[in-house]
Amino acid sequence: MPLQTILNRVEKYKSFVYGRVRLVAQRTGPPEIEVELRARANGRATCSGCGRKGPGYDRLPVRRFEFVPLWGMAVFFLYALRRVNCPRCGVTVEAVPWCQGKQQHTRTYQWFLAQWARRLSWQETARIFRTSWQSVFQAVKHAVLWGLVHDVWHNVQTLGVDEIAWRKGHSYLTLVYQLDEGRKRLLWVGPDRETKTLEKFFRLLGAASSQQVRFVCSDMWQAYLTVIAERASQAVHVLDRFHVMRLINQAIDEVRRAEVKQLERDGYEPVLKHARWCLLKRKENRTAGQTVKLRELLQYNLQSVKAYLQREDFQQFWEYHSPTWAGKFLDAWCRRVLRTNLEPLKKVARTLRTHRALLLNWFVADGQLSAGTVEGFNNKAKLTLRKAYGFKSPEIAQIALYHTLSNLPEPKFTHEFW
Ligand SMILES: [Zn+2]
């Protein structure tokens, strides 16, 4: 079957026809395929200024537009763009359906690269399809912008607000998720975690839609608490399980690190050196080796172990259904912790006390929020940023996050090709 027939099946342009196909040998690597395109004899060119047909003016030199590679060979369309003598816009270059503006890649190839860049890292995508990192980035950016323009925020009832550190913790990004049943995705990413960051999101959502939000979950970062209370005052604001446990884990780690130093100073063997994971992991996630280590640790009367036991005790909190009983448990736990000398954990207890009402909202929203959702997104977001190692600007990081987590709309034709 001639290549033109295949192209007419998958990539047909009404006013253009495929002409000759050539294999062009390369100095190194496989040959390239060149496919000529020409306008139908009676077809008039479309003005790129106003989108209307106009009389021809002249032709520009032949240009190459890269298409999806076939059998490992790069494919190029060859076409000499016409210029249009448009009565409204003057002399303009014609608009062609396979390519936008001055792009070197056809639209189809851009969507193709963007889709692969969701499964592989951008670097790998560039390597496999013999193109540059920059081209892959442009393709992803194009897909994200298209998606954002065509995306509709409809009936958003449950929001999750999360922050993520990047570039070794020097900067933060704020992420807002939609967590509705059957519609869980990243809605918005913004640089920093200031009051004005989250305000920007609520401005985009609009006052009317903000008033329809029923649940918001977030961590205890004050800027978030303030903005949520202002912009979505009717929503049940929940401090969710993932964020609370993360706070406790950070405290345990702080206790452990201080204790490692202390033990070293006092000349004791560093029993805690490699104990980080067995202290932080939950029982069911621990490996056999880590369980042995923990048993060994529990024989010492260590601060870290005490902190760990308090955390295990706190897990019970999430088992409650009644806010009243959960509240009683919380008060008792905080009292116990405040009597210890575990400073980082005491700080957590004081924070939890301050935000008691928001914590108990977890039980008010019983069953409406799943503990794992924000955590799952947080892991995926971290992985995305890790895979995209080398991102210099927050803009690139934001594009990568939208691309993997937002489930943005795509034009229909992209599903037909692969
Ligand atoms: Zn025009």
Side-chain angles (χ1 to χ4, degrees), residues 52-268:
R52 283 180 254 208
K53 304 261 184 202
Y57 182 77
D58 63 356
R59 264 183 195 286
L60 298 173
V62 171
R63 252 179 65 186
R64 284 168 26 119
F65 302 88
E66 193 164 1
F67 188 66
V68 180
L70 294 171
W71 306 289
M73 291 180 277
V75 177
F76 293 90
F77 291 165
L78 266 53
Y79 181 74
L81 288 163
R82 292 169 289 178
R83 290 205 293 174
V84 188
N85 193 1
C86 177
R88 295 167 204 88
C89 317
V91 175
T92 60
V93 180
E94 73 173 313
V96 288
W98 59 84
C99 184
Q100 209 169 15
K102 294 202 166 93
Q103 303 273 2
Q104 290 172 9
H105 294 145
T106 58
R107 284 174 206 264
T108 309
Y109 188 38
Q110 282 202 313
W111 283 103
F112 176 87
L113 286 177
Q115 297 220 344
W116 277 99
R118 199 177 284 135
R119 293 170 233 179
L120 308 170
S121 77
W122 296 1
Q123 202 73 54
E124 282 169 298
T125 309
R127 192 171 49 75
I128 290 174
F129 298 108
R130 296 168 200 276
T131 185
S132 64
W133 184 93
Q134 194 62 29
S135 300
V136 176
F137 166 62
Q138 287 303 336
V140 172
K141 185 175 171 182
H142 168 259
V144 166
L145 293 180
W146 195 97
L148 289 175
V149 167
H150 291 82
D151 193 21
V152 185
W153 291 0
H154 175 63
N155 199 16
V156 178
Q157 299 197 354
T158 313
L159 289 176
V161 180
D162 193 18
E163 81 221 21
I164 190 165
W166 74 295
R167 281 164 51 181
K168 293 192 179 154
H170 295 309
S171 332
Y172 285 91
L173 293 169
T174 294
L175 294 90
V176 183
Y177 300 103
Q178 176 175 15
L179 301 176
D180 291 313
E181 206 43 59
R183 195 108 180 94
K184 298 190 198 311
R185 65 202 188 108
L186 175 69
L187 275 190
W188 186 81
V189 197
D192 296 324
R193 46 170 185 171
E194 317 280 316
T195 316
K196 61 172 194 273
T197 314
L198 196 54
E199 266 173 355
K200 223 180 280 170
F201 165 76
F202 277 107
R203 262 203 304 282
L204 275 174
L205 184 62
S209 299
S210 302
Q211 293 302 310
Q212 279 166 12
V213 174
R214 293 172 57 215
F215 301 102
V216 187
C217 68
S218 76
D219 61 9
M220 276 158 269
W221 182 244
Q222 192 54 48
Y224 295 161
L225 301 182
T226 311
V227 178
I228 293 166
E230 260 171 39
R231 299 294 182 123
S233 51
Q234 79 297 337
V236 178
H237 185 176
V238 179
L239 299 179
D240 66 283
R241 178 173 180 164
F242 163 60
H243 283 122
V244 174
M245 294 320 285
R246 185 165 70 180
L247 203 65
I248 295 181
N249 282 340
Q250 282 164 355
I252 294 181
D253 207 34
E254 215 176 300
V255 172
R256 185 193 62 88
R257 269 183 281 129
E259 196 165 36
V260 169
K261 277 193 199 140
Q262 186 61 45
L263 286 172
E264 272 175 4
R265 267 199 300 275
D266 299 348
Y268 289 102

